[in-house]
Amino acid sequence: MLRWIRQQLGFDPPHQSDTRTVYVANRFPQHGHYVPQRFADNRIISSKYTVWNFVPKNLFEQFRRIANFYFLIIFLVQLMIDTPTSPITSGLPLFFVITVTAIKQGYEDWLRHKADNEVNGAPVFVVRSGSLVQTRSKNIRVGDIVRVAKDETFPADLALLSSDRADGTCHITTASLDGETNLKTHYSVAETSVCQSVSQLEALQAVVECQQPEADLYRFVGRITVTQHGEEIVRPLGPENLLLRGARLKNTKEIYGVAVYTGMESKMALNYKCKSQKRSAVEKSMNTFLIIYLVILLFEAVLSTILKYAWQAEEKWNEPFYNQKTEQERNSSPILKFISDFLAFLVLYNFIIPISLYVTVEMQKFLGSFFIGWDLDLYHEESDQKAQVNTSDLNEELGQVEYVFTDKTGTLTENEMQFRECSINGTKYREVNGKLVPEGMTDDSPDGSTPRLIGEELLFLQAVSLCHTVQISYDQPDCLVGGGDPFSHANGFSSNHMEYYASSPDEKALVEATKRIGVAFTGSNGDVMEIKAFGKAEKYKLLHVLEFDADRRRMSVILQTPSGGKVLFTKGAESAILPFTTSGEIEKTRLHVDEFALKGLRTLVVACRHFSPEEYIDVDRRLNAARTALQQREERLQEAFSYIERDLQLLGATGVEDKLQDKVQETIEALRLAGIKVWVLTGDKHETAVSVSLSCGHFHRTMNILELLQQRSDNECAEQLRRLARRIKEDHVIQHGLVVDGASLSLALREHEKLFMEVCKNCSAVLCCRMAPLQKAKVVRLLKTSPEKPITLAIGDGANDVSMIQEAHVGIGIMGKEGRQAVRNSDYAIARFKFLSKLLLVHGHFYYIRIATLVQYFFYKNVCFITPQFLYQFFCLFSQQTLYDSVYLTLYNICFTSLPILVYSLFEQLVHPHILQNKPGLYRDISKNSLLSFRTFLYWTLLGFCHAFIFFFGSYILMGEDTTLMGNGQILRANRQLMFGNWTFGTLVFTVMVITVTLKLALETQFWTWMNHFVTWGSIAFYFIFSLFYGGIIWPFLHTQDMYFVFVQLLSSGSAWFAIIIIVITCLFPDVVKKVFYRHLQPTSTQKSQMYSNRVAIGDDFIALQPLSRAKSQLGKISLYQPPRRRPSAVWSPCAATNMGKAAVPAWPTSWSK
């Protein structure tokens, strides 16, 4: 505990050095001055609270909210001074809100504790004292040797020591970490791979030195020093030697590894850290309104206090005969009396701040988020994936999006690659029936066979089939590489025995293509890679892998050929390969690459370099030196890679097709009609990106395409931007599209942000190509922070999209083929891009109108609630007498008016979902937070004040006609039946208020369900039943019972019923007239659509089968007021919360129905 406190205060940092030293099997040095490092234990703690800190920590977090803290202050004031209301009136609602939130958070944390205990208590095997001991996962220490069996997950981050394979390798899957389901090969160093028994491992003397823990899953820098026969052997350790906690062992019987990072220091745990909290525009508006109401509250309290002292300036009111002051009151300080009175009025009016607003909003967001997952229209049957919500705090933000930033590959396209063409030594080839056919030739040669590929063509195919990280999985478990021929004869290789797995779909497509053509990769055994070139087996020794990275944009392998030569094969983007080539058909290949890109194909360039023995020795030395460095390893590796990957011989290029996803064009068009601008941010070369943009409808053929490409200096970039700006002004009628590349974007963002943004905002569509991940995030941030502060949405499927997804106001992950990193870091996840239109146009629309009305209505009903209390002070000499009973004060927001608005905020639909999807323009009606504008807020607030005045003065006037107000404060009716003074009057006002605010919400409700009816009429009925019981029985636990028999007497009066009906009608009738007047004389497009949806119902089977443009044109042909002709109703497809009755359907033309 003391150590933990010291660490929290910064006096005892857990890691004093940049590296950690791990002694394998905890064999510490015997010399006396060794001080062991302290490491975290292996417990995983995802929970937030413990039994001891739950109450203080949870209370601290809840009272950080302004409203909760405000009510706590009011409660304390009520306890400390004599206030007109009981502390219970503030304390009980506060207690209710705090308790409900604490129970919700406590339950969620209990589930996390339960999951943690399952993980921490899992059985594991550890080598200790020369034997294999079973223990619990939480007991693993750094330095322990752990045994993991097939299909088990790794309990800590382990450096691989050995496996049951002779070469010390193992296969794992990291699906739980990054979603990649392909098999990855991990390696042990040669000196430890021979230790395959417990006794050998116990005798192993080794020390691992590595960096301190960091969150990057793909980075590990370390080295292992093995002592054999008194000699120390140093070997480098990298990501390929580290088995991450949470990954699973596959196709390997067992492995042994030494724990280097444990518990909360493992890479998986370090990735638990919370993303930055995103706040919606509605929440910001809510806080602004709260501050305005605080000002109103302070104004009312100050005014009441001043008026009280002004009134008491007259002697007769200062100390009336019935309320003589005590001596202490006469002698008390005027300032203290003023402050005390001010605080008392503050307490009296404090209910104008709606404390239950926060808890209702939380419940609405939490429960409402289930509708996205339940919507069958967002379910993708082929992959069995439904939409998922990772955060419910941004539901309403889906209805406010102004800019969509989308990745291309895997988001707009399927990320299913098909090899189409290639260029070899300046000649273009295409694949026809598993054969490479030169351009201009058919696959029908005179003798019915294809000429054997030789020379450069064969070398090109060998390079493609060897330069990759593909793994092979065999259907037959006993089928080993080299254990029999898994292929059939010649070019007709069978795929029944094996399947390729790759982290990149491009690699898989290329290796499968070379296999069909005749050069098949048949697997690897240790550092030996085997291919079969037209039936002839060839073995290559893998010497080094130069891994792919986003900066170099290429990957390479160095191999020893069967003849003993050393060769480097490399592949990557043309801009990353061509500048480093010195031989080959460079210009022809460049032209072919551009042609492939114009066809929308993804291109890769392939090259090689042959090393002399002396060159290879130099290369090997540089690589080993860089890989064993503990400091600045990445920089030194980049230098080594740059030295090696030069003087290349160009072999050719490949063109792979990535087909568009279904309904991408319709989705982009719908977003454009909704007023949303779409930007495509991709890493592809600009010709490919432009081609795909045209085919998916992002760019139109009639659009004027502007280019900001290959800018080399700030001045050049600025001049080009000015030219583009002038061109846009001159051709202002034409739609413009802008294409920017990564290099030019860097220059534009460095010095000319304002000019760049001016050009972009005047373009209908923007395409950014050759983008690095951080550049994507910078573009999003640029739009976010522009003066207009538009709401942005980013959507992508890969790890390179994570920064963009986290930067945008709303981040959406696509459940694609590039892993699950984007999904894990997103706010929402969907299976296909086409689902974005319904997510925004329907769900976003619904969520926004629901919560906007919820917020406005809450403030409205609280103004209605507390303003009569303020007015009553003018009639009671500002004596701080309450108008309502304390129980009514407490239950108004908790019971009497809470459920109708909650149900409304869950189910309300202004327009039918099908209409919203097929009229995207309706999205514009709610854009820019229009329903929470200051004008709308002012309308609801003034409406609340107006209704409150009618409640109070209506009750006062109507009751005054039937009664005589006696001097003792009692009300005497004409028939001499005694009623109970101010409590009767207050109850009448309260009754009218409960009925009116409930019916006001009923008037606002467009979409009625049985639940709406139940809570609306049920709330009014509950109020009457509760009041009858509360006032009709003497409750022994109440000290005073002012309301005894008041409600019964009130309801027994005909004039009271008359007053209730008259006042309710007076309040709501102008609302009805206003709605009718505006709906018929100045209808909004939403109201027109409501009228339209009441006249016609359009079946899913009709809409789903039509292209969007055709559906729109057909819908346009239907007159809004066309009298409908009956026909059998169309069948509705299942859709969440869409159980509306079927209206009359016009008789469609036969061709449309088909």
Side-chain angles (χ1 to χ4, degrees):
M1 183 66 180
L2 185 61
R3 180 189 166 204
W4 180 85
I5 293 171
R6 286 175 61 83
Q7 285 183 8
Q8 299 305 308
L9 295 174
F11 298 129
D12 184 22
H15 309 302
Q16 283 84 8
S17 65
D18 294 333
T19 61
R20 60 168 50 190
T21 304
V22 178
Y23 293 89
V24 177
N26 289 308
R27 290 175 171 274
F28 300 115
Q30 299 304 312
H31 50 76
H33 62 268
Y34 169 71
V35 179
Q37 288 179 288
R38 287 175 298 192
F39 305 114
D41 59 27
N42 201 40
R43 285 181 304 158
I44 284 291
I45 303 172
S46 63
S47 56
K48 200 173 182 181
Y49 307 106
T50 64
V51 175
W52 308 108
N53 72 7
F54 175 73
V55 173
K57 193 172 181 179
N58 187 265
L59 287 178
F60 174 74
E61 288 178 352
Q62 292 208 55
F63 284 121
R64 288 167 68 184
R65 278 187 164 170
I66 295 173
N68 290 351
F69 183 71
Y70 162 77
F71 270 87
L72 177 65
I73 296 298
I74 293 293
F75 177 64
L76 294 176
V77 167
Q78 286 178 295
L79 290 176
M80 289 187 294
I81 68 170
D82 182 22
T83 55
T85 57
S86 163
I88 294 173
T89 58
S90 292
L92 193 61
L94 179 64
F95 177 77
F96 173 76
V97 169
I98 296 294
T99 304
V100 168
T101 309
I103 289 171
K104 172 179 169 282
Q105 293 178 350
Y107 174 70
E108 289 173 349
D109 205 61
W110 176 76
L111 292 178
R112 287 192 285 265
H113 271 284
K114 191 177 175 185
D116 289 347
N117 291 336
E118 286 180 15
V119 172
N120 295 329
V124 294
F125 287 93
V126 178
V127 176
R128 283 182 185 159
S129 304
S131 61
L132 205 57
V133 179
Q134 182 173 350
T135 184
R136 295 187 175 209
S137 173
K138 65 182 179 181
N139 298 327
I140 294 175
R141 299 169 300 182
V142 170
D144 279 345
I145 298 176
V146 183
R147 191 202 76 171
V148 180
K150 183 181 178 182
D151 291 327
E152 291 181 353
T153 57
F154 302 113
D157 288 352
L158 310 175
L160 180 59
L161 295 177
S162 65
S163 71
D164 64 314
R165 297 168 182 252
D167 57 4
T169 62
C170 71
H171 297 297
I172 70 167
T173 61
T174 56
S176 63
L177 297 174
D178 57 14
E180 294 181 6
T181 54
N182 59 296
L183 295 176
K184 296 184 174 72
T185 306
H186 283 245
Y187 305 89
S188 60
V189 299
E191 286 72 22
T192 63
S193 63
V194 295
C195 303
Q196 296 183 333
S197 66
V198 173
S199 57
Q200 288 175 308
L201 289 165
E202 184 66 22
L204 178 65
Q205 293 187 7
V207 179
V208 174
E209 294 173 87
C210 59
Q211 62 190 161
Q212 294 292 4
E214 67 172 17
D216 191 342
L217 295 175
Y218 308 104
R219 187 174 183 271
F220 177 65
V221 178
R223 65 185 174 201
I224 184 168
T225 305
V226 183
T227 305
Q228 289 183 345
H229 312 297
E231 181 185 355
E232 291 188 348
I233 303 169
V234 181
R235 296 287 184 224
L237 296 176
E240 69 280 1
N241 307 112
L242 187 68
L243 306 171
L244 298 178
R245 177 175 191 141
R248 190 177 293 274
L249 185 65
K250 290 286 187 182
N251 291 8
T252 310
K253 185 180 176 184
E254 65 177 16
I255 64 97
Y256 289 95
V258 59
V260 290
Y261 304 130
T262 51
M264 297 308 291
E265 293 182 341
S266 63
K267 288 184 179 290
M268 182 182 77
L270 291 174
N271 277 277
Y272 283 162
K273 64 185 177 198
C274 298
K275 305 189 290 287
S276 59
Q277 188 68 30
K278 295 179 179 180
R279 293 174 63 217
S280 70
V282 169
E283 191 177 344
K284 292 170 186 172
S285 298
M286 205 162 71
N287 290 338
T288 305
F289 298 158
L290 199 66
I291 292 168
I292 293 172
Y293 271 67
L294 272 172
V295 172
I296 293 174
L297 170 65
L298 292 172
F299 171 75
E300 288 184 348
V302 169
L303 180 64
S304 298
T305 310
I306 293 170
L307 288 175
K308 175 179 181 177
Y309 283 95
W311 206 305
Q312 288 181 356
E314 296 183 44
E315 188 64 32
K316 63 175 181 176
W317 297 121
N318 185 36
E319 194 173 343
F321 69 91
Y322 56 84
N323 192 15
Q324 296 287 326
K325 289 182 180 178
T326 64
E327 194 63 33
Q328 184 182 357
E329 286 175 335
R330 288 193 186 99
N331 298 328
S332 61
S333 165
I335 296 174
L336 288 177
K337 281 169 63 182
F338 186 90
I339 293 172
S340 177
D341 283 326
F342 169 73
L343 291 175
F345 280 117
L346 207 62
V347 168
L348 193 62
Y349 304 147
N350 80 84
F351 289 94
I352 198 171
I353 306 296
I355 186 174
S356 54
L357 172 61
Y358 281 110
V359 74
T360 308
V361 166
E362 274 195 13
M363 290 171 68
Q364 189 269 345
K365 288 183 175 183
F366 175 71
L367 297 173
S369 63
F370 287 108
F371 291 136
I372 291 178
W374 291 339
D375 190 347
L376 294 181
D377 289 343
L378 301 183
Y379 170 72
H380 190 244
E381 194 171 357
E382 294 166 26
S383 58
D384 190 28
Q385 290 170 328
K386 63 178 184 178
Q388 68 184 54
V389 180
N390 296 330
T391 174
S392 60
D393 292 339
L394 302 170
N395 291 344
E396 64 276 10
E397 207 81 328
L398 294 170
Q400 294 296 295
V401 174
E402 296 172 60
Y403 283 87
V404 167
F405 298 91
T406 174
D407 178 39
K408 182 181 75 66
T409 306
T411 304
L412 300 179
T413 61
E414 286 284 6
N415 208 6
E416 284 183 2
M417 310 300 176
Q418 288 290 329
F419 176 80
R420 291 294 179 226
E421 296 185 64
C422 66
S423 169
I424 305 175
N425 200 31
T427 304
K428 275 203 295 186
Y429 294 82
R430 56 194 174 91
E431 185 190 2
V432 181
N433 299 327
K435 301 172 184 176
L436 270 190
V437 179
E439 188 178 40
M441 290 180 59
T442 65
D443 61 334
D444 300 323
S445 47
D447 57 355
S449 63
T450 305
R452 178 68 58 89
L453 299 172
I454 55 172
E456 287 86 357
E457 291 87 351
L458 185 57
L459 184 60
F460 172 82
L461 294 174
Q462 288 172 335
V464 172
S465 60
L466 289 166
C467 185
H468 55 73
T469 55
V470 172
Q471 301 293 330
I472 296 178
S473 176
Y474 293 93
D475 292 342
Q476 300 172 5
D478 298 330
C479 177
L480 300 174
V481 175
D485 185 4
F487 305 105
S488 54
H489 183 260
N491 294 351
F493 291 106
S494 168
S495 59
N496 295 330
H497 297 292
M498 65 184 206
E499 186 177 353
Y500 292 125
Y501 286 91
S503 55
S504 163
D506 298 75
E507 283 195 338
K508 183 180 178 184
L510 291 173
V511 173
E512 286 175 341
T514 58
K515 176 184 166 187
R516 290 193 299 270
I517 293 163
V519 180
F521 171 63
T522 58
S524 57
N525 185 8
D527 58 357
V528 176
M529 300 179 74
E530 184 176 357
I531 62 171
K532 280 199 172 183
F534 302 101
K536 178 186 174 186
E538 296 178 2
K539 292 186 178 181
Y540 292 79
K541 185 176 181 181
L542 181 62
L543 301 173
H544 292 284
V545 177
L546 281 59
E547 297 83 1
F548 174 86
D549 64 65
D551 294 327
R552 283 170 43 247
R553 300 204 301 280
R554 58 182 179 268
M555 73 88 61
S556 306
V557 292
I558 300 177
L559 303 165
Q560 180 175 309
T561 63
S563 59
K566 307 294 193 297
V567 65
L568 169 111
F569 289 131
T570 183
K571 72 169 189 284
E574 93 290 343
S575 59
I577 301 284
L578 292 180
F580 304 99
T581 54
T582 55
S583 60
E585 295 288 347
I586 298 172
E587 289 309 315
K588 284 186 180 178
T589 305
R590 195 192 302 274
L591 287 172
H592 291 165
V593 167
D594 291 342
E595 287 177 26
F596 295 163
L598 287 171
K599 294 177 184 177
L601 303 181
R602 292 165 60 87
T603 59
L604 284 173
V605 174
V606 183
C608 72
R609 178 184 175 186
H610 296 274
F611 296 112
S612 66
E614 295 78 14
E615 285 176 329
Y616 177 71
I617 291 170
D618 182 37
V619 164
D620 187 55
R621 179 184 58 77
R622 284 174 180 266
L623 281 174
N624 286 331
R627 283 186 166 139
T628 53
L630 279 181
Q631 303 296 331
Q632 297 182 324
R633 180 180 292 185
E634 282 81 4
E635 292 82 353
R636 296 181 66 174
L637 278 173
Q638 290 299 326
E639 290 175 12
F641 291 171
S642 298
Y643 175 78
I644 295 164
E645 294 169 329
R646 59 189 178 90
D647 301 332
L648 302 174
Q649 175 191 343
L650 183 61
L651 297 177
T654 60
V656 175
E657 182 185 35
D658 186 7
K659 66 177 182 179
L660 282 176
Q661 286 187 19
D662 187 31
K663 294 188 178 177
V664 167
Q665 188 166 357
E666 290 91 334
T667 303
I668 290 177
E669 181 63 21
L671 295 178
R672 186 176 282 120
L673 290 171
I676 299 171
K677 289 190 175 182
V678 180
W679 288 32
V680 176
L681 313 180
T682 177
D684 276 353
K685 69 191 306 282
H686 97 271
E687 290 89 354
T688 307
V690 169
S691 175
V692 172
S693 280
L694 286 166
S695 62
C696 73
H698 179 236
F699 283 167
H700 291 301
R701 297 287 173 186
T702 57
M703 195 178 276
N704 185 15
I705 308 296
L706 309 175
E707 293 185 342
L708 184 66
L709 302 170
Q710 298 176 348
Q711 305 300 306
R712 305 188 186 282
S713 68
D714 283 337
N715 292 335
E716 188 182 340
C717 181
E719 186 55 40
Q720 177 65 5
L721 282 169
R722 291 189 193 98
R723 278 198 296 269
L724 296 178
R726 282 196 300 271
R727 192 167 164 190
I728 290 171
K729 285 179 182 176
E730 291 165 4
D731 303 334
H732 60 277
V733 179
I734 305 172
Q735 281 193 326
H736 299 279
L738 178 67
V739 185
V740 192
D741 64 6
S744 304
L745 183 72
S746 297
L747 293 172
L749 296 183
R750 189 189 308 165
E751 298 284 341
H752 317 291
E753 276 191 14
K754 193 176 287 186
L755 189 57
F756 177 68
M757 284 304 302
E758 184 187 334
V759 171
C760 289
K761 286 178 181 176
N762 289 317
C763 292
S764 305
V766 178
L767 168 64
C768 301
C769 51
R770 285 296 184 223
M771 297 281 284
L774 282 177
Q775 281 184 312
K776 292 184 178 183
K778 279 183 180 177
V779 171
V780 176
R781 191 182 309 124
L782 185 67
L783 260 294
K784 259 177 72 176
T785 55
S786 63
E788 294 82 8
K789 297 281 189 297
I791 303 299
T792 58
L793 179 146
I795 180 169
D797 72 318
N800 60 332
D801 302 315
V802 168
S803 55
M804 168 176 82
I805 285 170
Q806 290 182 332
E807 183 63 46
H809 291 96
V810 182
I812 296 184
I814 296 283
M815 303 170 194
K817 299 180 175 64
E818 289 191 21
R820 287 291 184 274
Q821 287 194 62
V823 171
R824 284 192 297 114
N825 287 279
S826 64
D827 303 307
Y828 302 89
I830 52 179
R832 287 293 181 270
F833 183 80
K834 66 179 179 181
F835 296 150
L836 184 63
S837 63
K838 182 163 192 189
L839 191 65
L840 298 186
L841 304 182
V842 178
H843 288 286
H845 193 282
F846 286 161
Y847 285 134
Y848 178 71
I849 58 146
R850 290 166 183 169
I851 201 163
T853 307
L854 183 152
V855 171
Q856 306 274 29
Y857 176 76
F858 248 95
F859 285 111
Y860 154 78
K861 72 186 181 76
N862 277 52
V863 168
C864 290
F865 180 40
I866 218 64
T867 304
Q869 178 72 73
F870 172 67
L871 296 173
Y872 187 57
Q873 296 309 301
F874 287 87
F875 292 83
C876 69
L877 202 59
F878 295 94
S879 61
Q880 296 148 13
Q881 169 64 42
T882 59
L883 179 62
Y884 315 120
D885 183 71
S886 59
V887 171
Y888 287 162
L889 281 171
T890 304
L891 297 183
Y892 176 74
N893 277 317
I894 294 178
C895 297
F896 300 145
T897 59
S898 58
L899 281 179
I901 185 59
L902 178 62
V903 171
Y904 172 95
S905 67
L906 290 175
F907 299 114
E908 176 63 356
Q909 297 179 11
L910 281 186
V911 186
H912 194 278
H914 290 292
I915 305 293
L916 285 176
Q917 248 187 308
N918 290 284
K919 289 193 172 183
L922 296 176
Y923 192 83
R924 295 172 185 255
D925 286 359
I926 60 166
S927 63
K928 298 190 183 297
N929 206 12
S930 59
L931 297 188
L932 280 174
S933 64
F934 188 75
R935 181 180 175 183
T936 316
F937 165 73
L938 200 61
Y939 164 75
W940 278 94
T941 302
L942 292 176
L943 186 69
F945 279 115
C946 289
H947 284 184
F949 272 78
I950 295 171
F951 299 155
F952 185 84
F953 289 108
S955 301
Y956 183 77
I957 293 167
L958 291 172
M959 288 297 287
E961 288 179 359
D962 189 46
T963 61
T964 304
L965 190 63
M966 298 179 66
N968 60 3
Q970 293 179 339
I971 296 176
L972 192 65
R973 287 186 51 183
N975 62 3
R976 301 294 185 205
Q977 184 180 358
L978 195 66
M979 294 184 69
F980 294 92
N982 67 300
W983 297 120
T984 305
F985 177 67
T987 304
L988 176 62
V989 173
F990 193 85
T991 304
V992 169
M993 177 173 55
V994 169
I995 296 172
T996 304
V997 298
T998 306
L999 292 181
K1000 169 62 180 170
L1001 186 65
L1003 284 177
E1004 295 295 320
T1005 304
Q1006 178 75 21
F1007 184 74
W1008 282 88
T1009 65
W1010 68 266
M1011 189 101 60
N1012 293 83
H1013 284 289
F1014 178 75
V1015 297
T1016 299
W1017 315 120
S1019 291
I1020 297 173
F1022 172 74
Y1023 164 70
F1024 278 88
I1025 294 167
F1026 172 84
S1027 298
L1028 287 171
F1029 273 93
Y1030 172 58
I1033 300 173
I1034 296 178
W1035 300 98
F1037 52 83
L1038 293 176
H1039 297 298
T1040 60
Q1041 201 160 343
D1042 298 323
M1043 294 295 293
Y1044 180 67
F1045 230 58
V1046 169
F1047 200 69
V1048 176
Q1049 291 280 24
L1050 181 70
L1051 295 188
S1052 66
S1053 164
S1055 60
W1057 283 105
F1058 175 74
I1060 291 170
I1061 294 168
I1062 289 294
I1063 294 169
V1064 170
I1065 291 174
T1066 304
C1067 286
L1068 298 180
F1069 184 70
D1071 277 359
V1072 176
V1073 171
K1074 172 181 167 289
K1075 281 180 179 293
V1076 173
F1077 179 81
Y1078 275 104
R1079 184 175 286 269
H1080 284 85
L1081 296 182
Q1082 292 181 343
T1084 64
S1085 47
T1086 300
Q1087 288 168 343
K1088 289 176 184 175
S1089 299
Q1090 288 171 347
M1091 295 159 66
Y1092 176 80
S1093 62
N1094 290 334
R1095 293 178 177 275
V1096 296
I1098 303 170
D1100 276 345
D1101 53 344
F1102 166 70
I1103 294 298
L1105 295 173
Q1106 307 299 316
L1108 188 65
S1109 54
R1110 183 179 172 191
K1112 286 203 301 289
S1113 66
Q1114 291 167 352
L1115 288 171
K1117 295 174 185 176
I1118 305 168
S1119 171
L1120 195 61
Y1121 300 103
Q1122 177 184 354
R1125 288 172 287 172
R1126 290 277 181 181
R1127 72 157 200 161
S1129 297
V1131 179
W1132 293 96
S1133 70
C1135 170
T1138 314
N1139 298 318
M1140 296 182 68
K1142 301 174 181 65
V1145 182
W1148 307 104
T1150 310
S1151 60
W1152 292 2
S1153 300
K1154 289 180 183 178

